[in-house]
Amino acid sequence: MTIIDIHTHLLPKVDDSRMSKWSFSSMMGKYKEAGISRIVFSPHIDDPYVDTKRERIEPTFEWAKEKAARFGIECHLGCEFYVRGQEELGFIPHFGTHVLCETDTTFAPEGYLDTVRRIVDKGYKVILAHVERYKFLTPDSKLFEELHDGLGCLVQVNARGARTDQGRLWLKSGVVDFLASDNHGDDSLPLALYEILGQYPYVARRMNAFVQDNLD
């Protein structure tokens, strides 16, 4: 089974990652030890609270991809796109097909659903990042029905979030498509992601099928 981590902030000095170039190789070693062979670097885009240096994304990704390959890890570039009703949609899609989206954790901003719909209308699949954090969203809410059933959005829960009451609620509902680390520089997260996947085999199967369908 191929394990992919689709949500990370491991590119040094790009966004709010705590990684340095010095610690990057050590982190890749932790991923290899945990049996995670594919990583998506997903720097924040349009997040009003994070200063992302977009001009550094591409060159830092090329550097990181080369370093990770020495550990047998295949890397991809995407982003975590902050949805806030904006007109311009300047995201970097995962694999050219999927957009990992976050938003305010307390309230859905004005135009939230419309912005997600515009992304979908452009031919992309939306992945809802760390759903366990959103106070306005539950598996049985009308908004989630519109996002999931109406717009085909996929669902991601963080490895640490999976141990919270909200995370367990989402996972037990059977709608989760991805578990991911949302790793900003914590070298315990690769193993934590591997272990939590073992507790939710339906998610592991969906993730493996995703890799086979989209990357292999």
Side-chain angles (χ1 to χ4, degrees):
M1 177 176 289
T2 300
I3 302 177
I4 188 169
D5 188 355
I6 68 157
H7 185 172
T8 73
H9 300 273
L10 298 176
L11 296 179
K13 297 183 179 180
V14 166
D15 57 0
D16 58 349
S17 171
R18 298 188 298 276
M19 293 295 299
S20 67
K21 287 192 171 183
W22 178 82
S23 61
F24 185 84
S25 290
S26 176
M27 180 66 77
M28 292 302 101
K30 295 296 183 181
Y31 272 89
K32 183 176 181 179
E33 289 173 12
I36 300 171
S37 59
R38 283 178 168 160
I39 298 173
V40 182
F41 301 117
S42 52
H44 292 283
I45 297 290
D46 267 13
D47 188 323
Y49 307 106
V50 178
D51 178 20
T52 298
K53 297 169 178 61
R54 292 197 63 158
E55 72 280 1
R56 294 184 183 173
I57 292 176
E58 287 284 353
T60 308
F61 169 66
E62 292 301 324
W63 171 87
K65 183 168 65 171
E66 181 182 344
K67 292 287 186 183
R70 299 176 187 176
F71 294 84
I73 296 173
E74 181 179 313
C75 294
H76 305 268
L77 180 62
C79 78
E80 184 176 12
F81 184 63
Y82 195 103
V83 175
R84 48 193 176 95
Q86 63 269 57
E87 287 298 317
E88 292 192 19
L89 302 176
F91 49 74
I92 303 169
H94 284 42
F95 326 115
T97 54
H98 291 68
V99 184
L100 180 70
C101 293
E102 67 169 334
T103 194
D104 184 85
T105 58
T106 305
F107 302 103
E110 184 178 354
Y112 172 69
L113 188 61
D114 179 62
T115 304
V116 172
R117 184 178 289 108
R118 285 166 51 217
I119 295 171
V120 172
D121 287 346
K122 287 180 175 290
Y124 297 101
K125 292 277 285 187
V126 167
I127 304 171
L128 304 173
H130 43 57
V131 291
E132 74 279 5
R133 292 184 180 178
Y134 303 127
K135 295 178 173 61
F136 60 86
L137 200 64
T138 59
D140 58 356
S141 64
K142 181 168 178 48
L143 177 56
F144 181 67
E145 181 182 347
E146 292 182 80
L147 291 164
H148 186 257
D149 300 339
L151 296 176
C153 294
L154 303 175
V155 177
Q156 182 253 307
V157 168
N158 282 356
R160 287 245 169 85
R163 296 188 172 96
T164 66
D165 289 343
Q166 281 300 104
R168 284 189 286 268
L169 173 69
W170 281 98
L171 285 157
K172 290 177 181 178
S173 73
V175 299
V176 176
D177 299 285
F178 300 97
L179 280 156
S181 70
D182 193 4
N183 194 349
H184 285 67
D186 184 341
D187 64 9
S188 71
L189 278 172
L191 182 58
L193 175 57
Y194 175 83
E195 290 176 343
I196 201 71
L197 273 170
Q199 297 175 33
Y200 295 94
Y202 87 87
V203 182
R205 287 193 296 270
R206 288 180 182 175
M207 289 171 60
N208 190 60
F210 178 88
V211 170
Q212 292 179 341
D213 292 345
N214 294 275
L215 302 177
D216 289 342

